[in-house]
Amino acid sequence: MIENSDKRELIDLLRMRGPELSAKTVTLGFDGFIDSVVKVIRSKGDQHPVSYFNSPYAFGEYITAKGDKNLSIELETMTTKLGGNMPIMANAIAQMGPRVSCLGPLGYPDIHPVFRQMPPNCELHSYADPGITKVLEFRTGKIMLAEMGNLNNIEWSFIKETIGIKTFLELFTKSDLISLLNWSELDNSTAIWKGLLDDVLPKATPSRRPIGFFDLSDCSKRAESSIREAMNLLNAFSQYWNVVLSLNLNEAAIVCSVLTEKTAGEEDVGKMCEQIFASLKIDTVIIHSSKQAVARDSTLSIRKTTFIKDPIISSGSGDNFNAGFCIGKLLGLETAMSLELGHATSSLYMLSAHSPSVKQVLEFLEKDTGH
């Protein structure tokens, strides 16, 4: 965590510059899911309260102990909500005030009702029906079981035709920040990125270079050659945008191993961040976890956060961290301050299960400093 004096500076900057957010424009793509968030029941009885599995590890041990025997697992639904990196992050950014355009599978031909609950400053552009995800929520993590539906069969040419090249050019010309998310889960995401580089960015004429924010999502199932190709495309995007790559610890270890051809350990996150940054030609690399975030741009920044032992919800916490960081960058804050804003946004989300407004973030920071 940062000292109270630094938090006080962040509070002052957020109060002073926060009103500027209503004039900022953000575009995000290209995933979209409906999430059913559930707890996994471990035991229950007439004389005892319901007991839940507290970790993916404990759940895995339980399943492994059953061997090849049949078993039944009972789930308790906590909530059904909008899901996917793009909708969650877009919703979180919109809560802070910017005008947000969402490009994704949000229901077709009609927008699904779950996405119509997003703030009125969100403009929705849909090209397909969303995927469906069952999110097994544990105290120390989550397991996401995704059904992609038809999403992996949709090609760039269809997206371009359905949304319209005119819309793409307009959004990519006027946006202050453009975020491309969940590369890992969409089979055709590399083709989408190439389509943007070939058909849109050479024709877009922004008045200044936007921020290009990328989050790969869990790339464990992706081939090394595909990850390497995605990293090369990040370098290509840097011709047009100030590119930021955000990774969690698992994703960072995989990307670092692919780029350096060495097994990456998670003990020294700062070193891993430096290695990834040195291997790419982009502006910023972020590695974030539940305890700290590290970023490398012109310098190395490290910001610890308070670990939340019993969150109401953890699914979407990384997307809310990314949203808070991006809000900081939209306001011109230094990277260290933007990391702290990311932590505050994520913490509030986990404690309330709702993405916070600027006012709520300020109240949270004020309380944290004891004022």
Side-chain angles (χ1 to χ4, degrees), residues 217-265:
S217 191
D218 183 7
C219 47
S220 303
K221 64 182 179 182
R222 287 285 201 147
E224 286 190 9
S225 58
S226 296
I227 297 172
R228 193 171 292 110
E229 183 177 17
M231 294 302 98
N232 288 333
L233 290 176
L234 288 186
N235 292 335
F237 277 108
S238 67
Q239 179 183 345
Y240 303 97
W241 301 340
N242 296 328
V243 171
V244 179
L245 173 62
S246 180
L247 305 161
N248 65 24
L249 279 175
N250 171 56
E251 296 153 9
I254 295 170
V255 169
C256 189
S257 178
V258 169
L259 291 174
T260 65
E261 298 183 353
K262 298 176 183 177
T263 301

Side-chain angles (χ1 to χ4, degrees), residues 125-145:
H125 302 271
S126 182
Y127 63 84
D129 285 326
I132 305 294
T133 303
K134 185 77 72 174
V135 183
L136 311 186
E137 182 91 9
F138 304 94
R139 181 184 294 174
T140 61
K142 58 184 179 288
I143 298 173
M144 306 184 75
L145 308 175

Side-chain angles (χ1 to χ4, degrees), residues 21-180:
L21 289 169
S22 61
K24 301 295 183 181
T25 301
V26 178
T27 297
L28 305 94
F30 280 90
D31 71 323
F33 292 83
I34 297 173
D35 284 356
S36 177
V37 183
V38 304
K39 287 184 177 181
V40 185
I41 294 176
R42 183 166 200 157
S43 63
K44 64 179 184 179
D46 294 338
Q47 306 300 320
H48 305 282
V50 175
S51 172
Y52 304 98
F53 286 98
N54 288 326
S55 70
Y57 182 82
F59 183 45
E61 277 194 319
Y62 175 80
I63 294 174
T64 301
K66 297 294 183 181
D68 293 329
K69 298 176 182 177
N70 295 336
L71 72 156
S72 175
I73 303 293
E74 185 177 350
L75 306 176
E76 181 179 308
T77 299
M78 299 168 59
T79 185
T80 298
K81 64 180 188 65
L82 61 85
N85 298 125
M86 183 278 286
I88 296 174
M89 184 175 168
N91 183 72
I93 289 177
Q95 297 289 348
M96 302 274 201
R99 292 167 292 171
V100 177
S101 294
C102 303
L103 306 169
L106 308 174
Y108 194 80
D110 297 319
I111 301 295
H112 191 283
V114 75
F115 299 109
R116 291 202 176 278
Q117 300 172 21
M118 296 175 75
N121 51 324
C122 280
E123 186 177 61
L124 308 182
H125 302 271
S126 182
Y127 63 84
D129 285 326
I132 305 294
T133 303
K134 185 77 72 174
V135 183
L136 311 186
E137 182 91 9
F138 304 94
R139 181 184 294 174
T140 61
K142 58 184 179 288
I143 298 173
M144 306 184 75
L145 308 175
E147 296 179 43
M148 302 302 292
N150 195 41
L151 293 184
N152 285 333
N153 299 320
I154 296 175
E155 299 181 351
W156 162 247
S157 57
F158 178 82
I159 297 173
K160 180 175 66 171
E161 180 180 346
T162 304
I163 292 178
I165 191 67
K166 182 180 178 181
T167 298
F168 273 107
L169 289 173
E170 179 184 355
L171 294 178
F172 279 53
T173 294
K174 71 180 184 181
S175 292
D176 301 291
L177 183 144
I178 301 165
S179 183
L180 304 185

